[in-house]
Amino acid sequence: MALSVKSHTFAEFVSIAGGDAKTKPFLPRYLRPNIPVVDVQSADIICRSPDMTFKAEPFTIEAGKEIHITWSDTKKTSPYSGNNPTGPCVFWLSPLEKKGVGKVWSKVHEYTNDGKAANSAWCTSKIATDGGYYGFTIPEDIIPGKYLLRTELIDLLESYVSNYEDYAMGAHFYSDCLVLDITGSGNSTLKNPVSIMDVYKPFYKKAMFPIGSSDNKFTLPGPAPYTTGKP
């Protein structure tokens, strides 16, 4: 069964709040970069990239600054028209030398929903309202250096069944990675590193979230986001 037809997406632009958008830092994607990963057992879920050598040009940003990520579809239009991705967004950092493999990813920001009503206030809705971008602050106290930033939108529209039950369904992961050169004077290491594969493995045979159910609040898998100043 082919993937259902909808408005797929990929992260295309990155900028510092108030600055010009850049496209170069993102790792190369597959031939059709707007197609999500649905198999949570596939290593493709990490970055959706066939080239994990991380030779992409780094994007320089100072710790404590707000970074903006903008998503597009293959037509270079807003990805949130028609049958849209609906769900949370998550952002992870890993030291570049770790190459994204194993328990090396620390969650630094997440946005789910407010749980007040079915399908309410998802991150994807906020992105659409704000013109296709989402911003968050790079932790101000982390050690300067090169990091891999993993951006992730999770489409939950078909997550009422697992990928094991139907290999074309389940949660759809739009993950994209870019190399950051983070400057500053911080001295803290990232906390609670995990393996991306381990975080989502339980959902191979288990539905992630039945959108529209009475249990409206969605809790993202994995650790709590890193908080500046906490040991």
Side-chain angles (χ1 to χ4, degrees), residues 164-179:
Y164 177 78
E165 296 172 279
D166 187 329
Y167 71 87
M169 298 188 65
H172 290 190
F173 295 86
Y174 297 90
S175 54
D176 299 283
C177 296
L178 62 149
V179 177

Side-chain angles (χ1 to χ4, degrees), residues 79-127:
Y80 306 104
S81 58
N83 188 10
N84 307 325
T86 300
C89 54
V90 200
F91 302 89
W92 308 76
L93 278 176
S94 174
L96 182 60
E97 67 268 17
K98 302 295 185 181
K99 299 183 178 180
V101 178
K103 295 181 178 180
V104 299
W105 292 97
S106 294
K107 187 186 293 184
V108 291
H109 186 80
E110 64 181 27
Y111 189 110
T112 58
N113 67 343
D114 61 16
K116 295 177 181 177
N119 305 340
S120 66
W122 289 103
C123 181
T124 48
S125 299
K126 177 173 174 56
I127 292 171

Side-chain angles (χ1 to χ4, degrees), residues 5 21 42 53-54 75 77 89 106 109-110 125 138 155 157 168 173 190 200 202 204 210-211 216:
V5 177
S42 169
T53 58
F54 311 120
K75 296 181 180 179
T77 60
C89 54
S106 294
H109 186 80
E110 64 181 27
S125 299
I138 299 294
D155 184 1
L157 283 176
F173 295 86
L190 293 167
Y200 295 119
Y204 174 58
I211 277 188
N216 297 313

Side-chain angles (χ1 to χ4, degrees), residues 11-22 26 59 61 65-71 91 130 132-138 149 151 178 180:
E12 183 174 24
F13 301 108
V14 59
S15 63
I16 300 172
D20 295 331
K22 306 293 183 183
F26 287 97
F59 181 80
I61 186 169
K65 296 292 186 180
E66 183 175 309
I67 188 169
H68 287 181
I69 306 296
T70 301
W71 284 265
F91 302 89
D130 290 345
Y133 86 90
Y134 187 87
F136 72 96
T137 301
I138 299 294
L149 172 64
T151 72
L178 62 149
L180 295 183

